[in-house]
């Protein structure tokens, strides 16, 4: 039986497909798909005000107004870093220069700290602008990569945010690249709008974390 791995968590491919089918096909108007993935947003490569609202479709916040204004404060920095020519391509084949550019992009959180906006929220804005390259992050993905048995990026007290994100990106890239045909197969289950293999990995990682107990 083929086993999929997300961080230190694993699931059989057949079970993963059942989870994905439920999320992508069998829960119309109750799942975050296609609401998040199909939300129109802005047409260009930069983040615009309408893109900030997408987080509410994937991350229900008790503080939507301060989250919106916090993200708005980060827009100029996000767009400046998004224009780095290295922020291109897909994560499976990204080189070290691109990984460093992603780390710098996520670093807007420390350059301009704003209340209620953390990597979970920021990544939900950025993923939609580069869906093949910029990964999603939340507590369930953190569980897979940092908290479960065998997690490849365990917590280290003296590790900076940048160093943690770099280590996480490298581990996630490995999971994406070494199992790419399976993530492509799961992504192809989306009836429309299309999703990327990176988004497929996030869906299964989220389920693995959500089922931790």
């Amino acid at each position: 039986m083929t086993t999929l791995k997300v961080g230190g968590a694993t699931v059989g491919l057949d079970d993963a497909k059942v989870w994905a089918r439920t999320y992508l096909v069998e829960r119309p108007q109750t799942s975050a798909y296609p609401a998040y993935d199909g939300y129109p947003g802005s047409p260009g490569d930069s983040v615009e005000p309408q893109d900030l609202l997408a987080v509410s479709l994937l991350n229900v916040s008790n503080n939507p107004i301060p989250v919106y204004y916090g993200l708005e404060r980060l827009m100029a920095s996000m767009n400046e870093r998004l224009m780095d020519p290295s922020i291109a391509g897909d994560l499976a084949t990204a080189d070290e220069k691109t990984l460093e550019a992603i780390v710098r992009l996520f670093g807007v959180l420390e350059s301009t700290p704003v209340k209620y906006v953390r990597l979970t929220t920021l990544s939900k804005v950025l993923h939609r602008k580069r869906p093949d390259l910029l990964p999603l992050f939340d507590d369930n993905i953190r569980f897979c990569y940092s908290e479960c048995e065998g997690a490849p990026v365990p917590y280290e007290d003296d590790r900076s945010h940048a160093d943690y994100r770099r280590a996480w990106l490298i581990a996630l890239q490995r999971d994406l690249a070494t199992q790419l045909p399976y993530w492509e197969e799961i992504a192809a289950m989306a009836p429309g709008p299309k999703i990327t293999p990176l988004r497929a990995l996030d869906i299964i990682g989220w389920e693995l974390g959500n089922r931790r107990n």
Side-chain angles (χ1 to χ4, degrees):
M1 180 182 73
T2 300
T3 299
L4 285 179
K5 183 171 73 70
V6 180
T10 60
V11 61
L13 177 60
D14 289 343
D15 286 337
K17 288 180 179 179
V18 170
W19 295 354
R21 186 174 299 107
T22 299
Y23 183 83
L24 294 168
V25 179
E26 296 177 357
R27 295 194 307 215
Q29 298 187 337
T30 60
S31 173
Y33 177 90
Y36 169 78
D37 304 271
Y39 173 71
S42 63
D45 290 336
S46 61
V47 175
E48 303 299 336
Q50 59 265 48
D51 298 309
L52 309 183
L53 299 175
V55 299
S56 66
L57 301 173
L58 200 60
N59 173 39
V60 177
S61 171
N62 293 326
N63 302 284
I65 293 176
V67 164
Y68 177 86
Y69 287 124
L71 287 168
E72 193 175 49
R73 286 184 58 200
L74 294 174
M75 274 204 317
S77 295
M78 276 193 275
N79 285 328
E80 180 268 324
R81 298 179 192 206
L82 271 173
M83 293 305 105
D84 185 328
S86 297
I87 302 287
D90 62 83
L91 187 63
T93 60
D95 58 18
E96 184 177 353
K97 187 175 180 180
T98 293
L99 293 181
E100 287 302 315
I102 298 172
V103 171
R104 181 173 178 268
L105 174 59
F106 289 156
V108 299
L109 294 169
E110 287 74 56
S111 300
T112 310
V114 292
K115 194 173 183 180
Y116 300 119
V117 177
R118 299 292 181 268
L119 184 57
T120 294
T121 304
L122 182 71
S123 69
K124 288 169 172 53
V125 174
L126 294 173
H127 171 75
R128 288 170 34 86
K129 307 310 292 186
R130 306 287 193 281
D132 284 298
L133 180 65
L134 300 177
L136 292 152
F137 186 85
D138 60 23
D139 287 344
N140 289 337
I141 295 298
R142 179 188 291 112
F143 170 80
C144 293
Y145 283 94
S146 298
E147 297 174 0
C148 70
E149 184 177 355
V153 194
Y155 296 126
E156 296 178 8
D157 291 339
D158 59 348
R159 180 153 50 189
S160 68
H161 290 297
D163 286 344
Y164 174 83
R165 293 166 191 156
R166 184 178 297 107
W168 166 61
L169 285 168
I170 291 170
L172 190 150
Q173 181 185 48
R174 182 168 57 247
D175 290 341
L176 181 66
T178 60
Q179 305 170 105
L180 189 58
Y182 303 123
W183 301 127
E184 290 174 336
E185 188 176 351
I186 290 172
M189 296 170 64
K194 293 181 179 180
I195 64 171
T196 63
L198 186 56
R199 174 76 163 110
L201 184 153
D202 172 75
I203 290 168
I204 301 308
W206 189 93
E207 289 287 354
L208 282 164
N210 193 49
R211 296 164 188 252
R212 70 188 73 177
N213 296 323

